[in-house]
Amino acid sequence: MWDYLQHLSFWDWLAFGTLLLILEVFGAGGYLLWVGVAAAGVGVITYLFPTLPWTWQFLLFGIMSVLTAVLWWRRQRHAAKPSDQPGLNQRGQEFVGRTFQLHEAIVDGRGKIKAGDSVWLVSGPDLPAGTPIKVTGQDGVLLKVEAAA
């Protein structure tokens, strides 16, 4: 084992980095990406300095693994900014506060309205079809409504 460690080549590091990156493809969630990149980086350094002792190689690998992960984490944290379209992919939120007419009567708390080019399920007090209603909220695909004043 010691003999193997003392004769680590850049191929060993590149193979290890490749293996980690392949495992990352199978769904590690980003945990192995930066460790794999660090292993490939140590492979490049070992190619440039082939007499680098194995202890320094492992030390560089550890430092580079932590450094790449921390730098990426910091970049991601600073890159997260609020969206200029907060209602994107929340289609029912655009109807909150608007007034519509009931397309089908609300019976036992459920009915339908026609909003845009779609028919939406609504929940609220029992009301006859054609009654003006106001959308007050959304619960999944169900719009919460009340009688418009």
Side-chain angles (χ1 to χ4, degrees):
M1 180 71 172
W2 288 109
D3 190 45
Y4 178 73
L5 285 176
Q6 290 175 352
H7 296 96
L8 280 175
S9 73
F10 69 95
W11 287 114
D12 297 314
W13 286 106
L14 292 178
F16 182 53
T18 302
L19 175 68
L20 289 170
L21 293 175
I22 289 171
L23 291 174
E24 174 63 36
V25 169
F26 289 113
Y31 296 110
L32 298 178
L33 176 65
W34 300 109
V35 179
V37 168
V42 172
V44 170
I45 292 171
T46 306
Y47 177 77
L48 296 173
F49 303 101
T51 58
L52 191 66
W54 69 270
T55 52
W56 282 100
Q57 292 176 27
F58 276 93
L59 185 64
L60 279 172
F61 173 66
I63 291 170
M64 288 175 66
S65 294
V66 170
L67 186 66
T68 55
V70 168
L71 288 175
W72 181 254
W73 176 75
R74 288 186 65 200
R75 182 184 180 282
Q76 289 295 94
R77 194 177 77 190
H78 292 303
K81 59 182 178 181
S83 174
D84 59 342
Q85 297 179 355
L88 189 64
N89 294 331
Q90 297 178 0
R91 197 160 163 235
Q93 288 296 321
E94 68 188 65
F95 301 129
V96 174
R98 292 180 52 192
T99 304
F100 299 95
Q101 286 191 352
L102 276 175
H103 185 67
E104 289 183 17
I106 299 178
V107 178
D108 294 329
R110 299 291 168 124
K112 293 182 182 178
I113 63 168
K114 190 165 186 153
D117 61 350
S118 301
V119 176
W120 286 78
L121 280 169
V122 296
S123 70
D126 290 353
L127 297 168
T131 304
I133 53 95
K134 181 177 181 180
V135 178
T136 58
Q138 181 182 9
D139 183 19
V141 297
L142 191 66
L143 297 177
K144 297 178 182 179
V145 298
E146 62 184 26

